[in-house]
Amino acid sequence: MSDSSIAEHADLGDFKTLEQFILETQSEYEHSSGSFSRLLRDMSVAAKIVNRDMRRAGLLDIYGQTGITNVQGEVQKKMDALAHKEFVLALRRGGECCLIGSEEHAEAIPIDASSESDGHYIVLMDPLDGSSNIDVNVSVGTIFSIYRIPDDVPPEEATLDDALQPGTDQVAAGYIVYGSSTMLVYTTGHGVNGFTLDPSIGEFLLSHRNLQTPDRGSICSINSGNYHAFDQGLRDYLNWLQEYDENDPNRPAKTRYIGSFVSDFHRNMLMGGIYMYPSTQGNPDGKLRLMYEANPMAFLIEQAGGKATNGKTRIMELEPESLHQRTPLFIGSPDMVDRAHAFLQGNAPQQRTS
Ligand code: FBP
């Protein structure tokens, strides 16, 4: 983040709330009827509730597991269930959403007629990303992707097929990171902006305007514990990243892997870096879910000048087949994703520093 934008907002009074910012930028948005700003307001309300409980998790009975195995085959954490419930409740209450897809629910969740929803938005979400870190007080997040059903489709007739559209059809995407501070970062296709929650006034305030990721960085985020299950091309790329080169200030790269995609992505977007969850022999499709992890982050990183692929194809152009399908993911600074690609295709200029 440039010093000028920090200095620009030194005077607290100058901080815009999320709602003020949305209303100001609403004209940029095709369907600017206020319904999108209300939808994002609903998401931010749920985020504040989850944040409140997250900050006191050790004092509440929300650590541990629910004992339920979710559609991913993972034993659901209590915080996964809590976050899922809060976002579904807020979206139902708000009435701007007609269908929800969640990592914690096998089928798409229709907004029942009783909620008088005339909303035309579909929200796909990972209510709590980084589940393995919840009970150990390491930062986690929420990821969301927003689609819009055609105006001539009555909300009550919205189906999952209306959501199974390529990432390029997203109208908005974002995440909330519950870290040293809580931030909401989103895009509607007009740049990426970040808002920090000021708990003293309970408002998300604009703190990171028009985020851009550096073309290159020195951070590599990957679970190197799977190194022996990686393709040779990827191993070559990781070895190349670890080589010392006096002409290349970004090598050897630093390995930073929190195990929460949101947190690794956020850091890398700000500082420059690449996050990779590749296919492995055991997981030919990788681990991350296309519709509510890869697609929304791909939309964000592209808006911030970065790139996201599955190792072959741009993530945003993948034709989805199911709500919970997985995809290999290479995402981050453009030059680093291009270089990873070249190694994966076996035609990398190993010797030339980029
Ligand atoms: P969920 O926690 O939502 O299931 O997300 C997947 C995830 O936890 C990512 O946040 C993280 O980057 C990755 O899986 C960690 O996986 P692994 O432990 O296999 O490296």
Side-chain angles (χ1 to χ4, degrees):
M1 183 163 76
S2 63
D3 293 345
S4 62
S5 62
I6 295 173
E8 196 183 314
H9 295 294
D11 168 5
L12 261 181
D14 196 24
F15 282 97
K16 287 182 187 19
T17 67
L18 174 63
E19 213 135 337
Q20 285 165 335
F21 182 81
I22 296 170
L23 291 174
E24 264 177 34
T25 55
Q26 199 158 260
S27 57
E28 289 173 0
Y29 188 63
E30 192 186 338
H31 303 281
S32 57
S33 61
S35 58
F36 178 74
S37 52
R38 290 192 293 274
L39 178 77
L40 212 56
R41 176 215 48 213
D42 302 334
M43 297 289 288
S44 69
V45 170
K48 291 174 191 173
I49 296 169
V50 170
N51 178 68
R52 176 202 65 195
D53 295 343
M54 184 82 68
R55 301 288 167 207
R56 299 177 302 144
L59 309 173
L60 307 171
D61 176 23
I62 50 178
Y63 277 159
Q65 299 168 338
T66 61
I68 296 165
T69 299
N70 67 16
V71 64
Q72 323 289 340
E74 296 155 356
V75 179
Q76 188 186 53
K77 293 285 180 86
K78 288 183 182 171
M79 272 305 294
D80 285 324
L82 182 146
H84 170 79
K85 181 178 67 80
E86 292 302 342
F87 279 95
V88 170
L89 263 180
L91 291 169
R92 279 211 159 114
R93 230 183 351 247
E96 299 301 336
C97 173
C98 58
L99 197 73
I100 299 170
S102 167
E103 180 180 292
E104 300 306 327
H105 199 82
E107 296 81 36
I109 307 164
I111 298 290
D112 50 33
S114 62
S115 69
E116 285 129 32
S117 161
D118 66 348
H120 275 67
Y121 293 106
I122 295 177
V123 176
L124 306 178
M125 62 180 181
D126 177 356
L128 209 69
D129 173 67
S131 310
S132 59
N133 282 326
I134 298 170
D135 297 3
V136 289
N137 208 358
V138 172
S139 75
V140 292
T142 296
I143 311 175
F144 59 90
S145 167
I146 300 175
Y147 289 88
R148 190 181 165 82
I149 58 171
D151 284 341
D152 59 356
V153 176
E156 62 279 6
E157 290 176 19
T159 67
L160 182 57
D161 289 347
D162 296 310
L164 291 182
Q165 307 164 29
T168 45
D169 291 356
Q170 292 174 96
V171 291
Y175 59 84
I176 297 112
V177 55
Y178 311 99
S180 45
S181 69
T182 295
M183 281 190 67
L184 186 154
V185 177
Y186 82 99
T187 185
T188 58
H190 304 276
V192 179
N193 294 284
F195 300 77
T196 300
L197 180 61
D198 181 336
S200 68
I201 57 173
E203 285 285 356
F204 280 103
L205 301 176
L206 179 62
S207 55
H208 296 64
R209 189 191 282 272
N210 198 19
L211 285 164
Q212 287 295 304
T213 194
D215 290 346
R216 282 197 66 210
S218 59
I219 296 173
C220 167
S221 305
I222 190 168
N223 183 343
S224 45
N226 298 331
Y227 180 86
H228 295 290
F230 295 155
D231 299 346
Q232 190 54 49
L234 180 53
R235 286 192 221 168
D236 294 344
Y237 177 54
L238 294 173
N239 298 340
W240 178 81
L241 278 175
Q242 296 315 317
E243 281 167 15
Y244 170 74
D245 179 332
E246 61 189 10
N247 305 317
D248 186 346
N250 289 306
R251 288 191 303 146
K254 292 192 275 297
T255 299
R256 294 283 183 279
Y257 190 69
I258 296 170
S260 295
F261 174 37
V262 167
S263 313
D264 283 314
F265 174 90
H266 184 73
R267 180 203 50 254
N268 292 359
M269 180 166 67
L270 296 185
M271 297 174 71
I274 185 169
Y275 171 99
M276 300 176 273
Y277 208 107
S279 60
T280 56
Q281 274 103 31
N283 280 335
D285 294 327
K287 178 182 183 182
L288 298 193
R289 280 48 61 135
L290 173 64
M291 297 311 289
Y292 44 77
E293 290 175 317
N295 261 339
M297 296 307 218
F299 191 11
L300 285 157
I301 203 70
E302 288 192 4
Q303 284 289 310
K307 288 187 174 179
T309 84
N310 65 358
K312 297 186 186 72
T313 311
R314 183 184 168 216
I315 289 286
M316 295 258 276
E317 287 167 12
L318 294 174
E319 285 295 334
E321 284 143 21
S322 69
L323 178 58
H324 303 290
Q325 71 182 80
R326 300 175 191 262
T327 177
L329 181 62
F330 300 81
I331 188 166
S333 296
D335 295 3
M336 298 181 84
V337 174
D338 287 345
R339 174 78 66 164
H341 240 240
F343 272 94
L344 289 165
Q345 312 308 327
N347 54 30
Q350 267 88 341
Q351 299 312 319
R352 193 182 80 237
T353 59
S354 63

